[in-house]
Amino acid sequence: MNTQTVNTLLAAIADVGQDAKRGGYSRPVYSNAEITLREWFIAEASRRGLEVCTDANGIIWAWWDMPGSAKDEASRRGALVTGSHLDSVPGGGAFDGPLGVASALAAYDLLAEREAAGTLVRHRALALTVFPEEEGSRFGVACLGSRLLTGAIDPAKALNLRDAQGNTFAEVARANGLDPARMGRDEVELGRIGDFIELHVEQGKGLNSEEYTDHAGRGPAIAVGDTILGHGRWRLSFSGQGNHAGTTLMTDRSDPMIAASQSIVAVRQIAAAQDNARATVGRVEPVPGGTNVIASRVDLWLDVRHPDDAVTAMLVEKIHGQAQKFAAFEGCTVNLTEESLSATVHFDAALTRSLSGSVRRLVPDAPLLPTGAGHDAGVLAAAVPSGMLYVRNPSGISHSPEEYVEDDDAAAGVLALADALEDLL
Ligand code: HGY
Ligand code: MN
Ligand code: MN
């Protein structure tokens, strides 16, 4: 069995969307880079004889129908579905998203071999999927595609989201052949998903922590998803008096950059004082952003996560309170806008048991791992049985060019995914 296919597939897209300035990859949804990756997936799936279609929400489905199937609604209801995303964060790694998509294609190859050899007799169809805008890097809301499919976001709100250039999601979707009027929760499509499995590069120090590795650093290369930390995104917008950097005395300023900076430090202090909390400001946008200009406005984006959604809300309140104090002291104002919110996800227990049983035939000590990273599987979990597999990332670093997966671990991920899918097919 050629388990190196996944590495060959990833190598084929290694030069798509490279970001010379940031390092790594910048593949925003419906950018040239991400569209190139969509076309790559569609070509790879079509080459395998899968029936490819893109739905009203921009999700790509590649169908491996049952032998002799009518390929209609009835034959596709309750199918087994696996996939991930191809869009990235700015300056992201090569694996976050594409590893799950490439592994789905490579796992299909193994399953097709097993069916041809007669060792696999399927009872339902399999679909490989690619979800758009998982990172929310262009339109600000993570897992936009799966949220639209499940109805977790109001289509009207989604269609009015704007990217940094002011393009609405509706305009960009239309420019990519979608009809905004048809977007939103789709019962027929949800009915096609009997179970959903997402394989993903591990993000964080789980499999490579002392808990799972021996003194020689050896340990399981695969884990099964347990929970996904609740998380949300807010925008804090500080407004002050824009002015000239040279002619405005220091005593004469209402500088939103000062209030914003003090608030960013407070974010770290407030989260560090709360067990298991994570709060991050990774994006700050001064307006107008001139070197010799006192900003009139500074927007910053807050990412707060905690297992208990009430604690997340309390942390945001505390941060907002501090921001208001700093703003008032500086003669500025601040307002807080919630951009997205996801409760803590518990994956389907029966499906997770099935995944663990399958994976542990290959990797006996494969653990159940909670994660702090959001995924489409987490959004789908509210509507269909959903589960995840993680592949070891030696450094645990992600959302960075340093994200990495060893070739052998990627190959092990494909075998684990193929076995898990076979047991569910
Ligand atoms: O932000 C997240 O957790 C995910 O990578 N979109
Ligand atoms: Mn991801
Ligand atoms: Mn990500």
Side-chain angles (χ1 to χ4, degrees), residues 114-138:
R114 295 177 190 177
E115 182 168 84
T119 57
L120 164 62
V121 177
R122 280 190 291 147
H123 296 278
R124 55 176 167 164
L126 173 71
L128 313 186
T129 51
V130 173
F131 288 89
E133 189 60 326
E134 188 279 337
E135 296 293 2
S137 299
R138 181 169 181 182

Side-chain angles (χ1 to χ4, degrees), residues 106-415:
Y108 160 79
D109 290 341
L110 296 181
L111 294 168
E113 277 173 24
R114 295 177 190 177
E115 182 168 84
T119 57
L120 164 62
V121 177
R122 280 190 291 147
H123 296 278
R124 55 176 167 164
L126 173 71
L128 313 186
T129 51
V130 173
F131 288 89
E133 189 60 326
E134 188 279 337
E135 296 293 2
S137 299
R138 181 169 181 182
F139 293 101
V141 173
C143 300
L144 190 56
S146 48
R147 285 177 197 264
L148 280 166
L149 172 62
T150 57
I153 188 170
D154 172 0
K157 177 183 174 194
L159 291 168
N160 286 319
L161 294 171
R162 289 181 183 276
D163 65 11
Q165 288 70 41
N167 308 299
T168 63
F169 181 59
E171 288 157 357
V172 173
R174 205 175 284 117
N176 285 279
L178 299 176
D179 174 2
R182 293 181 51 232
M183 285 188 168
R185 183 177 171 96
D186 187 326
E187 296 300 343
V188 170
E189 294 229 335
L190 285 172
R192 290 187 188 136
I193 309 176
D195 295 284
F196 179 77
I197 314 290
E198 179 169 4
L199 177 143
H200 203 281
V201 56
E202 190 199 348
Q203 298 167 301
K205 292 188 167 63
L207 281 171
N208 50 30
S209 67
E210 306 79 65
E211 190 176 353
Y212 298 114
T213 51
D214 62 21
H215 61 281
R218 278 189 305 271
I222 309 294
V224 178
D226 187 11
T227 59
I228 294 183
L229 211 49
H231 58 279
R233 297 183 183 190
W234 291 262
R235 188 179 74 248
L236 276 168
S237 201
F238 297 83
S239 295
Q241 179 54 59
N243 214 325
H244 192 296
T247 56
T248 313
L249 301 180
M250 294 314 285
T251 51
D252 248 356
R253 297 182 177 210
S254 297
D255 184 350
M257 191 67 92
I258 303 303
S261 310
Q262 291 166 320
S263 302
I264 291 169
V265 173
V267 166
R268 161 64 69 94
Q269 289 161 345
I270 291 166
Q274 176 72 43
D275 260 358
N276 217 355
R278 298 115 203 249
T280 312
V281 174
R283 182 179 159 207
V284 182
E285 285 179 10
V287 174
T291 304
N292 57 351
V293 178
I294 301 169
S296 55
R297 196 180 91 223
V298 175
D299 289 340
L300 61 82
W301 280 264
L302 192 53
D303 177 312
V304 182
R305 310 192 189 200
H306 190 275
D308 178 342
D309 303 333
V311 172
T312 301
M314 181 274 291
L315 291 169
V316 172
E317 253 327 289
K318 267 190 181 172
I319 292 165
H320 187 201
Q322 283 287 74
Q324 285 171 319
K325 277 201 198 97
F326 291 132
F329 190 77
E330 184 61 30
C332 293
T333 57
V334 62
N335 73 358
L336 175 79
T337 312
E338 180 182 288
E339 295 205 338
S340 68
L341 187 61
S342 308
T344 293
V345 171
H346 298 270
F347 286 121
D348 181 86
L351 181 57
T352 301
R353 264 196 309 280
S354 169
L355 289 176
S356 304
S358 310
V359 169
R360 285 172 184 155
R361 288 202 302 272
L362 195 73
V363 183
D365 50 352
L368 267 181
L369 272 189
T371 182
H375 299 283
D376 291 307
V379 173
L380 290 171
V384 297
S386 176
M388 290 193 76
L389 298 183
Y390 301 120
V391 179
R392 177 169 51 197
N393 166 350
S395 70
I397 294 173
S398 182
H399 284 187
S400 156
E402 295 160 72
E403 179 184 83
Y404 185 61
V405 174
E406 305 278 357
D407 284 359
D408 290 348
D409 288 352
V414 170
L415 280 173

